[in-house]
Structure formats: structure tokens, C-alpha cells
């Protein structure tokens, strides 16, 4: 396997030497590309000597007739950019090719992985976030930075992910298509929305990020994935079949109709538990006569119903968002809904869970298995979850419906 390792200009550039070594240990040949600014932080000789390959740094190196960025793009299996600065991500997002690395990116058809590293304010800036969204929507894999002490002296998100995590993710993508190949996965995500009248509704704070990350990760690992989603602001992950729904009833119909031919169901959606007893066709006017009590009715519990219909070989995963008694409440749901695994998270912390990019989860299974994840970006919680599901599926053959 040949990996182009792109290094851009930030203090974390020195970690690219470790990344290079770990990639070699994983059996890869590494072709280093450094931007001009990266070469100010780390001498190209280091990567040259470690890789045994010349570092490409400029579009106009010599008078050779070969178009180097095209030939490199064609002869490699993966483009990994670590660390990736906000500037390089912006260029990638908008197709600007003003140096070797950005020109290489727009010439490449191989999978691309980026590991951003920057100051916390740069990371949170709407410009950076919307560039990341563009790249994710295009299928670029993101190894999100960690929260911690940054070179600028601030504390927050922006620190390059650990080299081991970046390399593990890259190697996994290189072997993509193997681990979940042949498995049919059904994921639900986002909130449900219950209309009161044509303008007002009942809903919840779910952003859909967790469910979308789970669907994207399953697709990356080779599964056939259907994502049933309530209204969100997210782009559907490439290669995933998206079914958009609004109410809990619509979600029940969409998920229920696809359940029989799915092997794994992950209900990450925050399904509303109540809906207005009746929906007014006309907008309710605010005159006193229309004041009253909003009558609610319970909605169907989708997972409970499907747990009862579960056939041998199907694997059901539920979520439990709790503000107290996390373990006990989650165990109750695991048993009641006949789940194979439950992902519990404590929603009382503002830095994780609902609407956040981060989550920390407790996994529980019916055999008494129990494991806590660290606080991780949701994309990595998705990878953590799939690793654990795969461990449990390892003993089961692929089910053909
Ligand atoms: N769920 C579902 N249908 C519902 C409500 C929940 O399928 N009507 C699923 C969720 O997608 C989640 C799991 O059941 O995977 C647990 O959801 P949660 O809202 O935490 O629990 P509830 O069973 O609704 O119980 P409570 O709200 O009382 O905690």
C-alpha cells in the first residue's frame, strides 16, 4: 500500500515523523509531501530519511516533463494529511490548487483522510466548520482533533489526534470493505417532530450527529446502510441510502418496513415519546377563546415493538440518554426492549451528548458486559461502537434475508 502523507504548516508537523513510522509498521510505503510552511517547522530531510522517498514540496521542482501531482495521485492508495491546517482544509473545500498538496488533492480519486490541528478559535470558527462540513459531505474522512492543552497556551479542541489513532483510521480505510461486507445495517437518527398546527410543533434537541456518524462509519466498513432520519441540518453520508421522515409514526413505518431485511438495527434517533392528541389544520389563533390545555398521547415505542419481533441473528442496539441513574435506567431499557447492546450517555454534561460534537458513552450488554468510552468526537464514538459490535458479531455468520 502506498500512502501520500501530506504535512502542512503548524507546530504539530513534528508528529508527522511518528505517523510516518507507524504507517511503515502497518506495512505501507510513505510518499511525503510538505507544504512550504510545513518545511519551516520540520526539516524535509527527516521525512526523506525515514521514508526513503524524496519529499515533494513544490509544483515547479525541476524541468522534468512528468506531471508529478498527477502521477503521485494515480500511484497511491490513500492521501492522508496530518496535521491539516485551517488554511489547507479551506483550500481543499473550495478546490483551490495553489501549491503541490492542494493541487494533488483536486487531482486525486483515492480516499482522503485529514487530521486537523489548530488553535481552538480557528477550529470553532464558522468558516472552518463549514469547510469541514463540505469535506465530510464529499466523503473525506476526518480524524477530529482532541481537546487539551494547545501550543498557543489555550485549552480546548484543536490538538492533533494521537498518531496511533490517525494511523489506525487510515489503515482501516485502506482495508475498507472487509469488516462489515455483506452486512445490512439500518440506522435511525435525529429528532422526531410532532406538529401541533401548521406552524408549531413538539420536538427535541437531537442534532442527528451521532446517528449520521454511525451510518457513515458502517458504510466505510463496507456495510449496506439505510439511514432513517428525522429533520436535521446534516448532509447524508455518501453511499448511504437516506429516508427522511418527520413524525414518530413516519419513523416507525420507515424503520419497521426495513427491519426484516436488516441484520443490525441501531436506533440512535431521539424519538419523541408524546404527540399532540390532535393536529389543528388551521393555525391556532392567540385570542383567549383558543387558550386551553394541550392534550398529548403517547407514541409507539419503535424499538420495543421491533425487539419483540427480533429473529435469531438480528442484532439490536438502542440508546439511552439519561439525566440521572444512567446505569440502572439503561439496563432497564436493555432488558425491556430485548436489545443486544445499549449505548447510554449522561445528558447532564453540557460538553457532550445533545447537539455537541463530542460524546462519552457507557456500553452495556445482556451478558453483563460493561465498558466506558473516553470523551471522544462523535465520529470516533461511532468507530468505538462498531469495533464493539463487530467483536460480538465475529462469532456469527453473515445473515442473508
Ligand atoms: N425509542 C423508540 N421509540 C420511542 C422512544 C424511544 O424506538 N417511541 C428508542 C430510542 O431510539 C432509543 C431507545 O428507544 O434507542 C431509548 O430511548 P429513550 O428515549 O432513552 O427511552 P424511552 O424508552 O423513551 O424511555 P424514557 O423516555 O422514559 O427514558
Amino acid at each position: 500500500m502506498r500512502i501520500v502523507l501530506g504535512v502542512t504548516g503548524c507546530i504539530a508537523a513534528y508528529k508527522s515523523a511518528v505517523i510516518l513510522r507507524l504507517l511503515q509498521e502497518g506495512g505501507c510505503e510513505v510518499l511525503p509531501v510538505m507544504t512550504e510552511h510545513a518545511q519551516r517547522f520540520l526539516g524535509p530531510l527527516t521525512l526523506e530519511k525515514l521514508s526513503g522517498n524524496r519529499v515533494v514540496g513544490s509544483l515547479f521542482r525541476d524541468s522534468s516533463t512528468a506531471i508529478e501531482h498527477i502521477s503521485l495521485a494515480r500511484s497511491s492508495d490513500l492521501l492522508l494529511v496530518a496535521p491539516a491546517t485551517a488554511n489547507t482544509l479551506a483550500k481543499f473545500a473550495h478546490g483551490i490548487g495553489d501549491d503541490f498538496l492542494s493541487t494533488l488533492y483536486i487531482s486525486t480519486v483515492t480516499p482522503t483522510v485529514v487530521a486537523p490541528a489548530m488553535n481552538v478559535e480557528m477550529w470553532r470558527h464558522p468558516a472552518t466548520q463549514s469547510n469541514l462540513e463540505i469535506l465530510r459531505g464529499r466523503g473525506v474522512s476526518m480524524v477530529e482533533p482532541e481537546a487539551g492543552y494547545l501550543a498557543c497556551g489555550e485549552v480546548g479542541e484543536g490538538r492533533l489526534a494521537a498518531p496511533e489513532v490517525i494511523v489506525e483510521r487510515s489503515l482501516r480505510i485502506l482495508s475498507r470493505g472487509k469488516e462489515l461486507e455483506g452486512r445490512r445495517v439500518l440506522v435511525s437518527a435525529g429528532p422526531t417532530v410532532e406538529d401541533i398546527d401548521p406552524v408549531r410543533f413538539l420536538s427535541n434537541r437531537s442534532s442527528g450527529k451521532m446517528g449520521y456518524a454511525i451510518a457513515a462509519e458502517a458504510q466505510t466498513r463496507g456495510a449496506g446502510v439505510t439511514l432513517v432520519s428525522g429533520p436535521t441540518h446534516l448532509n447524508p453520508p455518501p453511499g448511504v441510502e437516506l429516508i427522511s421522515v418527520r413524525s414518530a409514526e413516519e419513523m416507525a413505518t420507515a424503520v419497521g418496513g426495513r427491519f426484516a431485511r436488516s441484520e443490525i438495527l441501531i436506533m440512535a434517533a431521539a424519538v419523541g415519546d408524546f404527540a399532540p392528541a390532535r393536529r389543528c389544520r388551521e393555525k391556532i389563533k392567540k385570542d383567549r377563546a383558543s387558550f386551553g390545555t394541550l392534550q398529548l398521547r403517547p407514541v409507539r415505542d419503535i424499538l420495543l415493538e421491533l425487539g419483540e419481533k427480533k429473529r435469531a441473528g438480528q442484532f439490536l442496539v438502542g440508546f439511552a440518554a439519561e439525566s440521572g441513574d444512567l446505569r440502572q435506567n439503561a439496563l432497564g431499557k436493555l432488558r425491556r426492549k430485548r436489545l443486544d447492546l445499549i449505548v447510554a450517555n449522561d445528558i447532564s454534561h453540557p460538553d457532550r451528548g445533545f447537539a455537541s460534537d463530542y460524546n462519552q458513552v457507557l456500553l452495556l450488554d445482556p451478558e453483563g458486559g460493561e465498558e466506558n468510552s473516553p470523551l471522544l468526537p462523535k465520529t470516533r464514538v461511532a468507530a468505538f461502537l462498531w469495533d464493539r459490535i463487530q467483536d460480538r458479531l465475529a462469532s456469527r455468520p453473515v445473515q442473508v434475508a
Side-chain angles (χ1 to χ4, degrees):
M1 291 290 184
R2 284 160 61 88
I3 295 194
V4 175
L5 174 61
V7 184
T8 68
C10 79
I11 188 72
Y14 76 94
K15 293 186 185 168
S16 62
V18 181
I19 294 171
L20 190 157
R21 265 280 177 251
L22 292 172
L23 287 170
Q24 288 174 323
E25 282 168 21
C28 303
E29 183 189 357
V30 182
L31 309 157
V33 172
M34 296 179 84
T35 62
E36 209 181 307
H37 289 167
Q39 295 182 40
R40 298 218 182 177
F41 287 94
L42 181 74
L45 198 60
T46 307
L47 298 191
E48 195 156 308
K49 290 292 167 209
L50 287 174
S51 67
N53 284 314
R54 191 178 62 78
V55 169
V56 189
S58 160
L59 272 172
F60 308 105
R61 182 181 58 92
D62 56 30
S63 54
S64 115
T65 48
I67 306 174
E68 205 166 12
H69 58 93
I70 304 283
S71 61
L72 203 55
R74 289 204 182 128
S75 66
S76 57
D77 302 295
L78 184 96
L79 169 62
L80 164 64
V81 184
T85 57
N87 181 47
T88 293
L89 294 169
K91 289 200 275 185
F92 283 12
H94 298 282
I96 295 168
D98 65 351
D99 62 6
F100 189 89
L101 185 61
S102 51
T103 310
L104 175 68
Y105 169 72
I106 42 175
S107 342
T108 197
V109 288
T110 57
T112 301
V113 180
V114 294
M118 64 197 74
N119 155 277
V120 59
E121 300 305 342
M122 293 171 82
W123 171 252
R124 287 184 190 162
H125 196 283
T128 305
Q129 288 302 319
S130 63
N131 289 334
L132 294 170
E133 200 53 42
I134 291 173
L135 293 174
R136 279 193 199 100
R138 211 180 276 160
V140 170
S141 299
M142 206 73 61
V143 188
E144 261 85 355
E146 291 169 355
Y149 186 78
L150 304 173
C152 55
E154 289 182 55
V155 175
E157 312 99 78
R159 193 172 67 186
L160 185 71
E164 293 75 12
V165 173
I166 297 170
V167 170
E168 204 251 355
R169 184 68 182 267
S170 306
L171 296 179
R172 191 186 286 285
I173 286 166
L174 275 173
S175 63
R176 109 167 46 190
K178 298 211 172 75
E179 303 140 300
L180 288 174
E181 191 136 49
R183 309 262 190 199
R184 281 247 29 113
V185 171
L186 181 59
V187 181
S188 73
T192 54
V193 176
E194 307 297 340
D195 291 317
I196 298 170
D197 69 10
V199 283
R200 303 174 181 96
F201 57 81
L202 288 179
S203 189
N204 59 63
R205 292 177 56 208
S206 170
S207 65
K209 286 178 184 166
M210 192 65 251
Y212 277 59
I214 290 168
E217 185 65 26
Q219 199 277 339
T220 300
R221 296 181 186 209
V225 185
T226 301
L227 174 64
V228 177
S229 174
T232 71
H233 297 292
L234 305 173
N235 293 319
V240 165
E241 181 199 16
L242 176 76
I243 315 284
S244 297
V245 297
R246 185 169 170 83
S247 65
E249 196 56 44
E250 284 173 19
M251 183 167 282
T253 307
V255 174
R258 286 160 183 85
F259 180 63
R261 56 191 131 98
S262 306
E263 192 185 354
I264 306 164
L265 166 66
I266 306 191
M267 280 295 294
V271 187
D273 293 321
F274 308 101
R278 62 181 191 94
R279 176 176 187 253
C280 295
R281 281 187 209 216
E282 305 289 328
K283 183 182 170 196
I284 302 169
K285 304 304 284 178
K286 67 177 177 197
D287 54 85
R288 282 193 155 273
S290 64
F291 279 9
T293 308
L294 182 64
Q295 296 287 342
L296 300 177
R297 61 174 171 83
V299 303
R300 290 160 61 183
D301 191 318
I302 306 168
L303 200 50
L304 184 82
E305 287 177 14
L306 297 179
E308 281 162 10
K309 288 189 191 153
K310 180 166 78 166
R311 60 165 204 275
Q314 280 185 311
F315 194 93
L316 261 62
V317 183
F319 271 69
E322 307 291 342
S323 54
D325 263 344
L326 181 69
R327 205 170 159 280
Q328 267 327 99
N329 282 328
L331 277 175
K333 288 174 191 175
L334 176 81
R335 290 197 194 104
R336 207 166 50 250
K337 304 195 185 194
R338 301 188 194 177
L339 306 178
D340 298 280
L341 196 63
I342 193 150
V343 185
N345 71 299
D346 186 338
I347 52 168
S348 57
H349 297 278
D351 63 341
R352 62 195 75 168
F354 278 133
S356 162
D357 286 330
Y358 287 73
N359 211 352
Q360 193 268 314
V361 298
L362 166 67
L363 301 188
L364 299 164
D365 71 22
E367 289 76 40
E370 193 169 326
E371 189 179 2
N372 267 300
S373 80
L375 178 61
L376 293 170
K378 284 182 174 170
T379 48
R380 280 170 53 198
V381 175
F384 176 89
L385 176 60
W386 277 114
D387 288 345
R388 295 338 180 252
I389 296 173
Q390 278 171 213
D391 289 346
R392 289 164 173 84
L393 288 175
S395 52
R396 298 184 182 187
V398 170
Q399 299 284 317
V400 183

